[in-house]
Amino acid sequence: MINNVFRLKPFTIRHGEAAQKAGTDALLLGAWPFATLPSSPLRLLDVGTGTGIIALMLAERFSSANIEAWEVDNAACRDAAANFEASPYANRLTLHEVNYLDAVKTFASSAHTGFDLIVSNPPYFVEDVPSPHEQRQLARHTEADGLSPETLLRHATELLSPSGSLALITPSSLLPTMRRIATEALLRLSELAYIYSSPNRLIRVITLWRKLSLCEPYTPTHTSHFTLLDVEGKPSEAHRSLLSDFLLDS
């Protein structure tokens, strides 16, 4: 990564204007090989796309998919628009500068059949004191009226196709709350990956949620564990393998 440019093997990310730069969480979610997706998704949505990196990674991975990206921040939208236009997938990517809840209402009143996969790397700062930088607060501070894992879970069924899935990367501490909200929203946890920064240091979870269905037999949650750094502080073999199609030094 040089200044405001992040070069990956298939495309380049410019993030000079977005408050939230491309980072590890986005790379993990964009590359994650979900084991329980019912089929290769054709219609995808990236909520809070920021620079557009997750949408671009999904476009690289799913060559037949069309991908929408929603983002409320104007500066981030400018970065995402430029990154989409410069990518090999421009004709399959659509960017909307829109508030999430407003977009949900519009979508619910339309004739769309729903998304096969929705992904989001939502805000996760929940401490009492917001960042003094307004854009960064918007990108990273969870507030009652902002984009949050709770909001995403509560409205997922309005956006998903009958067999669609919602994928999130969040702090591991939010998992109990997310489970409770998902139950209220009639979602089940299809897949759970525990993400460790180093051995035994749990920091994140990647979760895949699907609509509850009375027609499907009970299926246990597919659970896995993933460590970013080994005991020597170097990227683990699993980390290098996951991102080998994207990072230049992999």
Side-chain angles (χ1 to χ4, degrees), residues 47-48 70-73 98-104 120-126 130 134-155 168 174 181:
V47 179
W70 296 354
E71 174 58 51
V72 69
D73 180 61
V98 65
N99 173 277
Y100 175 69
L101 291 179
D102 290 341
V104 170
S120 186
N121 173 21
Y124 56 83
F125 281 1
V126 293
E134 183 179 352
Q135 275 186 276
R136 195 165 184 81
Q137 173 182 324
L138 183 64
R140 301 190 70 175
H141 189 86
T142 298
E143 297 178 332
D145 60 347
L147 183 64
S148 68
E150 176 178 355
T151 302
L152 291 161
L153 286 165
R154 290 197 184 281
H155 294 278
L168 304 173
L174 297 182
I181 294 168

Side-chain angles (χ1 to χ4, degrees), residues 207-224:
T207 52
L208 189 74
W209 309 87
R210 296 182 61 195
K211 292 181 180 180
L212 281 172
S213 173
L214 297 177
C215 300
E216 293 184 5
Y218 169 74
T219 304
T221 299
H222 182 280
T223 304
S224 60

Side-chain angles (χ1 to χ4, degrees), residues 29-48:
L29 185 58
W32 197 257
F34 289 105
T36 60
L37 283 178
S39 62
S40 183
L42 296 177
R43 190 162 186 230
L44 283 67
L45 171 64
D46 179 15
V47 179

Side-chain angles (χ1 to χ4, degrees), residues 43 112 152 170 195 211 227:
R43 190 162 186 230
H112 292 298
L152 291 161
T170 60
I195 309 297
K211 292 181 180 180
T227 303

Side-chain angles (χ1 to χ4, degrees), residues 45 70 100 104-105 107-108 112-116 118 149-166 181-188 209-213:
L45 171 64
W70 296 354
Y100 175 69
V104 170
K105 292 176 184 176
F107 187 89
H112 292 298
T113 56
F115 294 99
D116 300 317
I118 300 172
E150 176 178 355
T151 302
L152 291 161
L153 286 165
R154 290 197 184 281
H155 294 278
T157 57
E158 300 171 60
L159 300 172
L160 290 171
S161 65
S163 61
S165 304
L166 168 68
I181 294 168
T183 299
E184 295 171 357
L186 301 181
L187 296 169
R188 67 176 180 87
W209 309 87
R210 296 182 61 195
K211 292 181 180 180
L212 281 172
S213 173

